[in-house]
Amino acid sequence: MAKKPVLAVTSGEPAGVGPELCARLLDRQWPARLVVLGDIGLIRERAGDGVPVVAYEASAEPSSGALEVLHLPLSVHARAGVLDPANGRHVLALLDRALAGCRSGEFAGMVTAPVHKGVINDAGVPFSGHTEYLAEHTGTPLVVMMLVGGGLRVALATTHLPLSAVPAAITREVLEETLRILHADLVARFALPAPRILVAGLNPHAGEGGHMGREEIDVIAPVLEKLRGEGMHLMGPLPADTLFVPHTLEQGDAVLAMYHDQGLPVLKHASFGGGVNVTLGLPIIRTSVDHGTALDLAGTGKADPGSLFAAVELAIHMAAGARS
């Protein structure tokens, strides 16, 4: 029998819902060994009575029916719903350990619970997000954000930019590299040997032949033509308002949207509560929940684990694709 992959699951911001969502991983049987990274005392506290929590030992057999925790201690006790900058570096230590384990082969991939960017910055560490942090610490010059859920895969050519800055950010060079990364990871991580990618235009009606903008003519179309010449299956540039209709979507395996709010509202409507954020282009597998720390729900037991479960499922699927 094939050995189960081992996945690191970081518990994220200790004042948020991450620790208790990680405890819910015992609600299911998984075709993987899941190792939660966090403070074992905090995980036990948030898990509540009746949830067995044990210390992870890499050399030992997995503990059946118990939650395995790789203990990384908090700096100070964490109260549910109350942020404390003193624990900002603890959150980064979880990421560092998960990344080290992925790079050494100890873990087949990592799944991340939500962090709070503000409190990490308040701890004196400049931090703009998981994606940027992992890219920097793996020496990856360009990564691609893709959301998966509701039967859709939607990648982004640009991410968290003001709308006014988007056109200048979409250069031929960036778009070409983004499509190369998307294509390569659909092949390597999603086991799609000839992925079909639907590429949105930037402007209404994909520019209406230049009457509503020339980015499609000057930037997007030339890149698509070049990459089609290399054998990629690319459709576009397509008007975004009709790209997400069933007839068009069934012709593709993934969508490349030009900016954040062009593609993600559609995906989140289709997958509310069960979407997954995937970082493409990294040398490791990384998936994440598509929600924040939900401080108002922390400690109540009411947080929905659906997105975390979906992120774990996808990481397992990607790990299988990487081994095949």
Side-chain angles (χ1 to χ4, degrees), residues 4-31:
K4 290 182 178 180
V6 183
L7 296 178
V9 184
T10 62
S11 54
E13 168 53 49
V17 295
E20 62 208 75
L21 291 180
C22 288
R24 295 286 302 276
L25 291 170
L26 285 183
D27 290 359
R28 291 191 185 179
Q29 296 288 323
W30 301 94

Side-chain angles (χ1 to χ4, degrees), residues 138-218:
T138 57
T140 307
L142 180 66
V143 293
V144 176
M145 177 180 174
M146 183 169 76
L147 274 288
V148 177
L152 301 174
R153 301 183 186 100
V154 179
L156 301 176
T158 62
T159 52
H160 301 113
L161 291 178
L163 196 56
S164 61
V166 168
I170 301 174
T171 64
R172 289 192 186 188
E173 293 75 17
V174 167
L175 185 59
E176 179 181 332
E177 185 60 21
T178 297
L179 280 163
R180 290 190 186 279
I181 290 169
L182 175 57
H183 181 273
D185 271 12
L186 288 172
V187 173
R189 309 290 199 194
F190 289 83
L192 295 168
R196 303 164 301 162
I197 302 172
L198 309 176
V199 181
L202 173 65
N203 297 294
H205 301 180
E208 195 81 52
H211 295 287
M212 292 188 184
R214 292 193 54 84
E215 285 82 3
E216 289 76 14
I217 296 170
D218 296 338

Side-chain angles (χ1 to χ4, degrees), residues 35-160:
V35 179
V36 174
L37 277 60
D39 183 289
I40 196 167
L42 175 69
I43 302 296
R44 285 185 173 130
E45 177 186 315
R46 298 286 176 82
D49 296 336
V51 178
V53 177
V54 299
Y56 161 72
E57 294 183 35
S59 59
E61 287 297 310
S63 182
S64 178
L67 188 72
E68 293 190 279
V69 175
L70 196 167
H71 176 57
L72 294 165
L74 291 163
S75 298
V76 297
H77 180 262
R79 292 169 52 199
V82 181
L83 295 170
D84 191 332
N87 283 321
R89 293 182 184 274
H90 162 79
V91 175
L92 297 181
L94 304 181
L95 297 180
D96 292 341
R97 179 62 180 85
L99 179 57
C102 288
R103 301 191 80 172
S104 71
E106 178 185 5
F107 302 131
M110 63 190 291
V111 180
T112 56
V115 300
H116 192 285
K117 300 179 183 69
V119 77
I120 296 173
N121 281 279
D122 289 343
V125 182
F127 182 82
S128 55
H130 276 117
T131 302
E132 294 82 0
Y133 187 86
L134 294 173
E136 179 184 352
H137 284 73
T138 57
T140 307
L142 180 66
V143 293
V144 176
M145 177 180 174
M146 183 169 76
L147 274 288
V148 177
L152 301 174
R153 301 183 186 100
V154 179
L156 301 176
T158 62
T159 52
H160 301 113

